[in-house]
Amino acid sequence: MPEAFILDAARTPRGIGKPGKGALSALHPQRLLATVLRALRERNDLDTREVDDTFVGCSVQIGKQASCVGRMAVLDAGWDVAAPAVTLDRFCGSGITAVNLAAANILSGMADLCVAGGVEMMSYTGSIERPGGVATLDQGNLHLREIHPQPHQGICADMIATLEGFTREDVDRIGLISQQRAQTAIAEGRFDASLVPVHHDDGRLALDHEEFPRPGTTMETLSGLPTVFDRFMDQPIDATGETFDQLVKRAYPDLAIRHVHHAGNSSGVVDGAAGLVLASGEYAERKGLRPRARVRAIATVAGSPTLMLNEPVPAARKVLAKAGMTTDDIDLFEVNEAFAAVALKFIRDLELDDAKVNVNGGSIALGHPIAATGAILIGTALDELERRGLGTALVTMCTGGGMAPAIVIERV
């Protein structure tokens, strides 16, 4: 049976995702992704005519991110016109799903060389008016809203914290650890192998380092931050006049939410892009390319769209079963820090040593460029396996709609 190998991983630094304030915010999304694709071609001397497909995650596919931004970025990167691409959306899980689809094509024997990744310019998508969305479902889709109320993700995080008994101190501690570990990783150059500097069209450097982290964060500074999502509860979602509080009460009529999440224990709004090169063993050998890791297993699960963020644990269990492994067989775990409660529940429910989870910090400290994050996490895990001389990593994340993709990789 064919095997799918990861040959390389590259990504941009993450820039603050605010118009006019972030170092990447003036760039076009396809230019940002093209920077990564160009680097992958050059770093691996890829013959892009031989790319069977390019899978690109992008969650908000409107405006500058519409019209198959993956294919446009492939062309922008100067790849051969014979290299195809597709753009997909599984919300935050798009980056992992892109890699999983690339791996599946190779594992099936239908492809030999694929590239996968994602891009999200939150400085752009946050500045444009978007009707509806996963938090509310558009007014034309009230039937689905009646069947499956889907609140704002931040409200879901507070719901989960309440249901699981997580305190403000519990979630703040996750935020602090994320910042501390990210500071160490940056200081020791742990991200350098995958980071690709981004330049403006005139050649000026746009960004060559992580822009979002807040060094010096303490429990005291975190405890002083106001919670955010309680402010949304009584506001009308749309012209129907329904509020998030009413939406929540449809599914959990007796739940008194304790709001504990804020800017310091939730994922950061950033711009970024990432990509990986995957190939069959036969192709890598024929081209003289050295695989860095093999894909041991891939999986996706889905559950409650009302809680929305609870699926990384069942996703991890499913992908481990597919690989014939247990948590004891995994050296490093990456679970996206969409909100602190997600990481906290993941560690607790799987009974993990937290020293093996998000060892270089996560999206709370570094930011979460939605559809790019999954590919970033896989590359980060691979770099860290190599740095520590370890063998296996599991990567997963929650997504809108109550889903989670997962992947297990093994260092070669």
Side-chain angles (χ1 to χ4, degrees):
M1 181 176 177
E3 289 189 293
F5 291 93
I6 298 174
L7 305 184
D8 199 11
R11 68 174 178 87
T12 68
R14 282 159 281 198
I16 293 171
K18 295 182 179 180
K21 294 184 179 180
L24 302 177
S25 62
L27 278 74
H28 193 288
Q30 81 183 32
R31 299 290 287 152
L32 192 66
L33 180 57
T35 298
V36 174
L37 298 179
R38 191 178 305 111
L40 289 172
R41 181 195 65 197
E42 294 170 354
R43 285 160 53 129
N44 300 280
D45 194 25
L46 291 182
D47 183 347
T48 56
R49 291 173 301 177
E50 297 180 347
V51 173
D52 290 301
D53 214 343
T54 307
F55 299 89
V56 172
C58 183
S59 185
V60 182
Q61 295 182 37
I62 57 177
K64 294 180 181 179
Q65 295 191 165
S67 303
C68 193
V69 68
R71 170 62 173 171
M72 298 307 118
V74 161
L75 297 173
D76 200 334
W79 285 19
D80 194 281
V81 295
V86 63
T87 306
L88 60 94
D89 173 18
R90 199 194 296 275
F91 304 111
C92 301
S94 302
I96 294 179
T97 296
V99 174
N100 285 359
L101 287 173
N105 270 257
I106 294 168
L107 289 166
S108 73
M110 294 296 105
D112 284 306
L113 178 64
C114 292
V115 175
V119 62
E120 207 80 51
M121 294 290 292
M122 299 184 78
S123 59
Y124 167 66
T125 60
S127 68
I128 55 179
E129 185 176 347
R130 289 183 283 153
V134 70
T136 62
L137 303 179
D138 66 90
Q139 290 184 53
N141 206 2
L142 296 180
H143 177 68
L144 182 56
R145 189 193 295 185
E146 188 68 33
I147 299 171
H148 292 295
Q150 298 182 53
H152 186 282
Q153 285 98 328
I155 294 172
C156 294
D158 284 339
M159 292 171 68
I160 291 167
T162 302
L163 291 166
E164 300 295 337
F166 299 147
T167 66
R168 169 69 182 261
E169 183 178 3
D170 291 336
V171 291
D172 280 358
R173 188 174 295 109
I174 293 290
L176 177 63
I177 292 171
S178 184
Q179 293 286 353
Q180 291 173 334
R181 291 180 177 178
Q183 289 176 45
T184 299
I186 291 168
E188 295 182 357
R190 297 184 188 180
F191 300 139
D192 292 356
S194 292
L195 273 183
V196 176
V198 181
H199 293 83
H200 294 287
D201 288 347
D202 61 7
R204 291 179 297 115
L205 179 68
L207 189 65
D208 63 357
H209 64 278
E210 300 290 354
E211 192 177 30
F212 189 78
R214 294 173 174 83
T217 297
T218 66
M219 283 294 283
E220 288 71 29
T221 58
L222 290 172
S223 66
L225 294 174
T227 55
V228 174
F229 304 107
D230 46 329
R231 306 176 203 172
F232 297 171
M233 295 300 291
D234 294 327
Q235 295 180 6
I237 296 170
D238 50 32
T240 65
E242 186 168 32
T243 66
F244 280 118
D245 184 61
Q246 292 170 328
L247 204 62
V248 169
K249 280 183 166 50
R250 287 190 189 180
Y252 291 88
D254 300 321
L255 182 64
I257 301 176
R258 288 183 293 102
H259 294 278
V260 295
H261 287 91
H262 52 75
N265 58 33
S266 306
S267 56
V269 176
V270 295
D271 301 329
L276 294 92
V277 181
L278 294 91
S280 66
E282 187 278 331
Y283 183 89
E285 183 177 2
R286 175 159 48 88
K287 290 292 185 175
L289 299 168
R290 184 181 71 85
R292 296 174 59 190
R294 65 169 50 85
V295 177
R296 284 289 302 268
I298 59 176
T300 307
V301 302
S304 167
T306 298
L307 289 176
M308 199 176 299
L309 312 175
N310 266 344
E311 301 315 306
V313 170
R317 289 174 174 152
K318 183 175 181 179
V319 79
L320 286 169
K322 293 282 187 184
M325 304 169 77
T326 71
T327 53
D328 292 336
D329 298 315
I330 302 297
D331 296 311
L332 297 174
F333 295 84
E334 288 284 340
V335 58
N336 186 42
E337 294 173 349
F339 301 91
V342 176
L344 196 56
K345 181 173 171 59
F346 187 80
I347 293 167
R348 188 201 64 186
D349 288 5
L350 293 175
E351 300 180 340
L352 302 178
D353 177 355
D354 66 1
K356 297 168 64 175
V357 182
N358 297 352
V359 297
N360 290 326
S363 291
I364 291 173
L366 296 160
H368 173 28
I370 310 300
T373 301
I376 291 174
L377 295 184
I378 296 169
T380 296
L382 176 53
D383 287 344
E384 192 63 13
L385 288 176
E386 292 176 341
R387 192 185 75 84
R388 297 188 181 207
L390 298 175
T392 56
L394 187 155
V395 183
T396 187
M397 61 200 308
C398 57
T399 88
M403 300 179 286
I407 184 171
V408 172
I409 63 171
E410 180 180 42
R411 185 172 67 93
V412 176

